[in-house]
């Protein structure tokens, strides 16, 4: 099993979600984070103009069976893409085991 | 003799304060019922509209709306730019109820209301500049014209049309423009993809604050429209106003529960406003029972109107069209159905008033909006709309210390 | 002659607005001091209570509380359903201070207060329907009865009991019901597992807003209770009211600091309310020094009362019992200790008044609550309470754009 | 005869309520423009300052500021501790405009304002105790002295200095102390590391609420300063006040847009307050055009002042120095430039007034602050400042249910 | 060392925490997230009724030594369980190294 | 590639960020969490005093190439340190793959 963590623009979230559903990725967890990266955002506040590289983003954590890894990544790469600096990153790592609390079952079945 | 003048004027000044605070009510209601990423934008509009309303009304509006007998026509009048204290403007010779300054300020506070109504309906997608420009023209030129038709002694007044505190002249005037603007802008992105989606308001306590403040302000809006502190009339108006609001709350509560099996607070809040808008045209003509009936009906209508407008894919985030236009019409017609003036002929007058004002407002707001659309544009870019107007137009967040969860 | 009538009536109308805005004060205070998952629920209750208060009072309450000489008994009176403008109801022949309509509306605004007090104490666990039903009955039938005992010319009035603006007749009446409801509902889940746990309010600025608005409203609550604009009495009442509130803030500040070595803003907010409730029974009888003393004592008492009630495992999220019942009693008794009427015999009368009203309210609220409990039930399910009343009873979140951190 | 007294007194009481609610305006504005980790702290200060203001003014301030003819000197006067109802204190023999109690309470509500102004400027880093102590002394002893110089019949009054409602006597008095305190405290950690950093306010709707409430309250602040309900003067004052505020909004909007190419709502909010402070000194002397010009200039000045103070590394989170001091001075001088008293000699008097009050306030606030600094200290520890004053001084969070994102 | 990530109902958090303490798991970190899964929640807003699968949940991240892995998982499975759809998931992965910032020490000791 | 997860005091965040930038770690993602650990914080509310071990902290998730692992850890250990209980933890784990959404590229290059 793999954990796919994607950090994307908040404005792309809805599209990504819809497309993931289409390719059969129906379960995931997300939260909002602040990203520090190349992108800068202009702010003005009481006469001080400044650029901040602290940009609000959405963090998606998706655990999938290995056969779903590629399609999930490809979908995010395609949909979350705008071509402008700040589109975000995807990180992939291993998951040893998964459990479904409702049933107590474990293994790849819990991700379906 | 002069003491009663001082008392009356005092009452009108209190009414001014109350009407003023309605702008805070609108600001908080509208920002509460929209998303946090557009909060600064909507507050900005509401703040500027007050300033614009006061200044355009000083410069031109007051003298168009109340040109005085010698300048008034049936459809249009104008007695010159700026404010000019008339002789006796500070004594009861001007008016037993108020000085010239009080007169101006009370009316000026009303003026801004029309544009504030629009502000809610077009929230979350209109360009700031375009909205402000629209407001300047609409408050400066359109609102005073229809106002003059009745309150300035124009043809609707001659006809026998009755609109005590402005169900039509204020609320519908705002409502028609809101309707036109919503049609021309289209819905917010994501609102009608296939079925209608709910786009929840981000801060319900703020919305509740807004409705309480609006009710509070309405005491001055209706109570002040008596134009003197006359104990009997004013206190009756306060009672009819309050009971219509309470009845609106009750019937919207039951109606929305019956339909949705849920206690939707936003419907009850709209129900209160519906009661208030509904009683506004005839607040001084109604008995206790009439007022309660008008409020009850308004509370049912508002729920149905919100649903119907949504079915028609008219995306109005705060329900401004339903409250101010639909119920504005209801309130105006109710003068022909309930209370001291009830009767077919009065109903006819009311109907003509609604129609005349409606046609004029639809036409003028369409023209203004289409010109703005063709020149500087009406709607923000898709990117801006999705990411929020606050960060794009203002470079700020309304709540920078909170971890948001935008939808 | 009639001018002074207009002035008095104007003053009473201003007081109406101020008392009205107290409901917004209660709504924001109570929602600020509870958790975000129950915010819509508590706001919903506060909004509906205003509507219910006004309508029941129209239908039945006013004529039970002020039945007029020919219908009044010592313990009960009733002059018929609905409002009927008496002859001369709009002139000073009715009352030098106000018209019939003003009279009704001022009293109606008071009526809803009693139920709003309960709303805070039972927050976060009572069923919405059950609360609304309780409110209808309690405002409709119980509040007017005890009110009549004194203000309607009943036996407590005859006895010499004094309660200027309602430390007992409004605040304790609400407070007793709050106490009974809290006992019958039990504490919120998790509040007393072993030791007492703090369940912090979710929005302190909202609570502060509430207390300022309540103080603001109290100017009308107490000031309006003079029932005319009499310059000397009203202005004295405003001074005693303000100084008692300020003194309450000060002494609760020191008391809570002495005990907890911490600046607990909720205690100071309660201290202000304590000062206000404390002075309410005798606001027109006190000297500046008396008022300050009453406030200082109220501010100490409130801190001790909050602690004591918590020790007794009476879970009152907003401190309503402490503020309105405990200090309501203190304020009533203070009339026998300080000010123009001080003396043992007056103290006796005050004591009897507290007792009589207390017994009646305990009994009636117990009966109403037990019937509701046995029929539709009082308390929401455990699941609902843990997940929040907003999502279960209303299908909504108060703050959908914020990432919450519920406790 | 007595009726007009009742009317006047009624007006003054309404003004009291309005000025009172300004404290809520300050509380919400100041907490909105600072960070969430210091919200309880700033609210706590604003609540306590009201109590302190009322009580010190009762005990000493009123009799220092208005000692009455027999006790007044040119620079100092005092007629004894506590409040003592003078003979005829409740009739028009005391003053045609109000009773002794009304007089006291209106002035007492003003008193607390001076310290509240300071509260905003020193936010997020001052020790709570030190601030409260400073407030007691500054409201108790400094504010009444300069107030007496003009309003109590002291030397500035004799000289011909004019300050209608307190651009200097209230706003600058607060502003000077704010300036001294900001200098002695130094900027917040992280504000000027190399270049200036923006430390955004955490809740813009709260700030907007504050400004609307302040405008609302200003109707009483300026309107009440007429000291009677005189229809002509009061209504003129309301008009000049409103138009200056609106003009301030407009010009600050354009100025800040021109400089920053952005719609900064905090600048528009400050612009409104600038218009209000600017008109305060001469609200009764100005024509409509004068008022608009004063407001327009105030709106430009405020933007420049905020920028300049930031350049000077004077860290004032809410812009209190710019609004109350810089514009307080502008408003005072404007009396010599515009309106009924305009002229070089009046300008000279105004200038002397500004200078005299400035010197006195700088000196006294410096002495008080330096003593506090040397004894109990002025500033919280670095750890406390970084982690927030709420958790350290109060052991509480303002928003425990929200996931914050502190900066 | 293992990282145990549990996504649970918010309403179960307090019980889970108490029980974890009882079995000796005294250290962890949590935050609130939105989960997309099988569970649906009914909403009503201004006349629009809708079901959302975006449900607020609590995310627990617990790093434990290998000998604590099973007891931690079992405890969560037992306590966070209601049997209704939406009880959540547990994911297990490897942690290479842990440091305690206060002391600079590293290894399994830092988790005790 | 390694994922370095650091749970630090919020008050140390700014310093840590600045120092990470100095050593060349310019990209990361953070969010605020609640930590359960040894540290206790005193609260008072309406007459109830209590100690809570639920303390707000900042969670930094930094994905770096292996040659940056040590310097990142050392920097955090040094700067986030106060010596008082509650300084927080650092956890290190493996990342299999990283993608940059903007360009679609993958591998260590995406972290530069
Ligand atoms: N090494 C990293 N570790 C963790 N998060 C990262 C890392 N690099 C980038 N991110 C996240 O990805 C977001 C986008 O990256 P950014 O550098 O702005 O744009 P781009 O990927 O287009 O160059 C950042 O805001 C941050 O949240
Ligand atoms: N594959 C996954 N990756 C990440 N989070 C998941 C995954 N599957 C489920 N979750 C989380 O677990 C929660 C509960 O799952 P859900 O499908 O609703 O219930 P159940 O596990 O009872 O079938 C989801 O809301 C989501 O937060
Ligand atoms: N085993 C763990 N798993 C996840 N987070 C942990 C773990 N241990 C500690 N933490 C996090 O680190 C923070 C600091 O730990 P704490 O025990 O309070 O201090 P110290 O590390 O100085 O002993 C905790 O609040 C928690 O957020």
């Amino acid at each position: 099993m793999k954990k796919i963590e994607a950090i994307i623009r908040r404005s792309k979230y809805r599209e990504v979600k819809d497309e993931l559903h289409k390719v059969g990725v129906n379960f995931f967890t997300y939260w909002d984070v602040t990203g520090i990266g190349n992108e800068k955002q202009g702010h003005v506040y009481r006469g001080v103009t400044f650029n901040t590289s602290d940009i609000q983003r959405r963090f998606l954590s998706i655990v999938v069976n290995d056969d779903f890894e590629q399609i999930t990544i490809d979908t995010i790469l395609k949909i979350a893409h705008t071509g402008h600096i700040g589109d975000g990153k995807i990180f992939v790592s291993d998951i040893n085991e998964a459990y479904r609390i409702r049933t107590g079952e474990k293994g790849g079945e819990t991700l379906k | 003799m002069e003491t009663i003048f001082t008392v009356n004027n005092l009452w009108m000044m209190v009414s001014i304060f109350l009407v003023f605070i309605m702008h805070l009510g609108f600001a908080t209601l509208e920002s509460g019922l929209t998303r946090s990423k557009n909060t600064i934008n909507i507050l900005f509009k509401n703040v500027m509209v007050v300033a614009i309303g006061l200044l355009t009304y000083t410069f031109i509006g007051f003298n168009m709306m109340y040109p005085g007998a010698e300048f008034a026509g049936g459809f249009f009048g104008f007695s010159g730019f700026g404010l000019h204290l008339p002789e006796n403007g500070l004594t009861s010779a001007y008016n037993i109820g108020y000085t010239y300054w009080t007169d101006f300020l009370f009316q000026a506070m009303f003026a801004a209301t029309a544009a504030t109504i629009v502000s809610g309906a077009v929230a979350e997608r209109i360009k700031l500049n375009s909205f402000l420009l629209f407001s300047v023209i609409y408050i400066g030129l359109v609102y005073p014209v229809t106002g003059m038709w009745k309150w300035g002694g124009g043809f609707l007044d001659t006809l026998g049309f009755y609109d005590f505190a402005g169900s039509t002249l204020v609320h519908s005037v705002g409502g028609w423009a809101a309707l036109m603007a919503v049609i021309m802008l289209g819905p917010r992105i994501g609102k009608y993809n296939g079925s209608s989606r709910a786009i929840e308001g981000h801060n319900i306590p703020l919305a509740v604050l807004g409705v309480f403040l609006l009710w509070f302000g309405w005491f001055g809006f209706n109570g002040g429209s008596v134009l003197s502190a006359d104990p009997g009339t004013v206190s009756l108006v306060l009672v009819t106003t309050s009971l219509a609001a309470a009845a609106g709350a009750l019937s919207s509560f039951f109606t929305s529960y019956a339909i949705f099996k849920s206690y939707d607070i936003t419907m009850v809040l709209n129900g209160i406003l519906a009661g208030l808008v509904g009683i506004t045209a005839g607040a001084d003509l109604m008995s206790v029972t009439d007022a309660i009936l008008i409020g009850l009906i308004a509370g049912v209508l508002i729920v149905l109107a919100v649903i119907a407008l949504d079915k028609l894919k008219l995306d109005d985030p705060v329900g401004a069209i339903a409250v101010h236009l639909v119920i504005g019409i209801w309130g105006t017609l109710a003068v022909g159905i309930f209370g001291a003036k009830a009767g077919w002929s009065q109903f006819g007058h009311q109907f003509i008033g609604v129609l005349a004002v409606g046609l004029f407002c639809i036409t003028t707001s369409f023209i203004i909006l289409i010109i703005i659309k063709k020149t500087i544009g009406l709607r923000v870019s898709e990117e801006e709309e999705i990411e929020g107007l606050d960060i794009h137009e203002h470079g700020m967040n309304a709540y920078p210390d909170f971890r948001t969860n935008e939808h």
Side-chain angles (χ1 to χ4, degrees), chain A, chain B:
Chain A
M1 287 168 280
K2 293 280 180 288
K3 172 152 73 171
I4 299 168
E5 293 180 319
I7 301 153
I8 61 168
R9 293 179 191 280
R10 289 211 287 202
S11 51
K12 281 290 180 185
Y13 168 71
R14 194 168 289 271
E15 273 176 76
V16 168
K17 175 185 163 188
D18 290 348
E19 198 66 24
L20 284 175
H21 278 349
K22 280 191 200 138
V23 301
V25 178
N26 291 312
F27 307 101
F28 62 90
T29 301
Y30 71 84
W31 59 94
D32 285 359
V33 300
T34 309
I36 310 281
N38 288 312
E39 196 186 358
K40 303 267 176 280
Q41 202 174 53
H43 278 245
V44 183
Y45 181 76
R46 297 186 57 65
V48 183
T49 46
F50 60 106
N51 277 300
T52 178
S53 58
D54 293 41
I55 293 177
Q56 299 235 27
R57 304 203 175 280
R58 193 147 282 178
F59 191 106
L60 274 58
S61 173
I62 316 171
V63 178
V64 294
N65 284 316
D66 294 2
D67 53 343
F68 266 92
E69 175 181 350
Q70 207 49 46
I71 177 92
T72 306
I73 293 170
D74 290 347
T75 304
I76 299 174
L77 282 178
K78 197 177 81 198
I79 308 296
H81 177 267
T82 69
H84 300 300
I85 285 179
D87 278 351
K89 296 282 191 308
I90 303 176
F91 301 120
V92 183
S93 56
D94 289 319
I95 285 290
N96 305 345
E97 194 53 273
Y99 300 81
R100 188 193 297 274
I101 296 174
R102 168 163 50 99
T103 56
E105 66 190 317
K106 68 179 178 178
E109 279 308 300
T110 63
L111 306 178
K112 286 178 188 164
Chain B
M1 190 66 286
E2 281 305 306
T3 301
I4 190 74
F5 176 64
T6 307
V7 181
N8 285 337
N9 187 66
L10 201 169
W11 168 245
M12 294 308 294
M13 296 193 304
V14 169
S15 297
I16 288 170
F17 310 153
L18 294 171
V19 178
F20 169 77
I21 213 67
M22 290 175 75
H23 291 289
L24 175 58
F26 280 115
T28 52
L29 174 63
E30 293 177 10
S31 59
L33 290 185
T34 49
R35 286 169 292 181
S36 62
K37 64 183 176 187
N38 300 318
T39 300
I40 291 194
N41 188 259
I42 198 143
L43 293 170
F44 200 97
K45 291 192 290 181
N46 279 295
V47 168
M48 287 309 296
V49 155
V50 182
I52 289 172
L54 289 172
L55 293 172
T56 57
Y57 211 69
T58 304
F59 190 60
I60 183 167
F62 187 53
N63 286 345
M64 275 177 70
M65 189 148 160
Y66 298 95
E70 61 269 47
F71 296 97
F75 295 88
F76 186 80
F78 184 54
S79 59
F81 294 100
L83 301 181
H84 305 284
L85 183 67
E87 224 184 315
N88 291 325
L90 304 182
T91 69
S92 59
Y94 177 73
N95 185 307
I96 181 67
Y98 38 78
T99 67
Y100 176 76
W101 300 120
T102 304
D103 188 13
F104 159 73
L105 200 56
F106 184 67
Q107 298 301 335
M109 289 295 171
F110 266 63
T113 309
T116 297
I117 290 168
V118 182
S119 141
V122 299
E124 312 205 81
R125 54 207 194 280
I126 203 169
K127 276 190 180 176
L128 183 69
N129 272 335
S130 309
F131 174 78
L132 294 180
L133 189 60
F134 173 79
S135 301
V136 171
I137 305 173
Y138 204 70
I139 314 179
L141 299 177
V142 178
Y143 171 81
V145 169
T146 52
M148 183 269 170
W149 290 356
K150 162 71 193 152
W151 293 338
F155 80 100
L156 285 179
D157 193 43
T158 319
L159 185 79
F161 173 69
Y162 194 79
D163 189 2
F164 173 62
S167 283
T168 286
L169 296 182
V170 180
H171 294 284
S172 297
V173 166
W176 288 114
L179 178 65
M180 294 311 293
V182 163
I183 292 173
M184 291 178 67
L185 272 170
R188 289 168 292 172
I189 293 172
K191 175 69 182 144
Y192 301 111
N193 292 346
S195 68
S196 168
R197 206 188 109 213
I199 303 183
E200 294 166 274
H202 86 285
N203 195 330
I204 301 301
L206 217 49
V208 171
L209 178 70
V211 169
F212 270 101
L213 289 178
L214 284 166
W215 185 338
F216 183 66
W218 231 285
F219 287 129
F221 196 91
N222 285 359
S225 292
V226 173
L227 303 179
S228 84
D230 178 59
T233 319
V234 180
S235 62
L236 172 66
V237 165
L238 299 184
V239 169
T240 56
T241 301
S242 295
L243 292 181
L250 205 72
S251 64
S252 61
F253 168 83
F254 283 117
T255 310
S256 70
Y257 188 78
I259 301 180
F260 303 111
K261 300 281 165 286
S262 159
Y263 305 112
D264 184 341
I265 195 167
T266 65
M267 284 297 191
V268 174
L269 297 179
N270 274 180
I272 289 173
L273 298 180
L276 292 166
V277 173
I279 197 68
T280 291
D284 60 336
L285 305 173
M286 302 299 160
S287 72
V288 164
T289 316
D290 294 333
I292 292 177
L293 285 174
I294 289 174
L296 287 174
I297 296 169
V300 175
L301 278 180
I302 188 73
V303 176
L304 304 179
V306 166
I307 299 173
L309 289 166
D310 203 54
K311 285 261 150 55
L312 294 170
K313 307 212 172 185
L314 294 169
D315 181 21
D316 176 355
V318 308
I321 302 175
V323 168
H324 300 282
L325 179 57
V326 178
I327 307 299
I329 294 174
W330 159 239
T332 309
L333 298 180
V335 169
I337 307 174
F338 297 101
K341 288 193 183 277
W344 276 112
S345 90
Q346 185 64 36
F347 189 86
H349 302 155
Q350 299 303 103
F351 194 79
I352 293 172
V354 169
L355 224 70
V357 171
L359 282 175
F360 186 73
C361 290
I362 289 176
T363 318
T364 49
S365 59
F366 176 77
I367 294 171
I368 306 170
L369 288 164
I370 197 87
I371 292 175
I372 293 178
K373 188 168 184 172
K374 297 288 177 203
T375 52
I376 57 174
L378 267 182
R379 190 161 175 155
V380 300
S381 73
E382 187 175 326
E383 188 200 358
E384 203 170 313
E385 186 174 338
I386 292 177
E387 297 188 355
L389 278 65
D390 285 5
I391 202 67
H392 278 263
E393 298 224 57
H394 306 273
M396 287 187 167
N397 294 314
Y399 304 102
D401 270 8
F402 293 94
R403 185 61 70 177
T404 55
N405 178 31
E406 277 168 27
H407 56 279

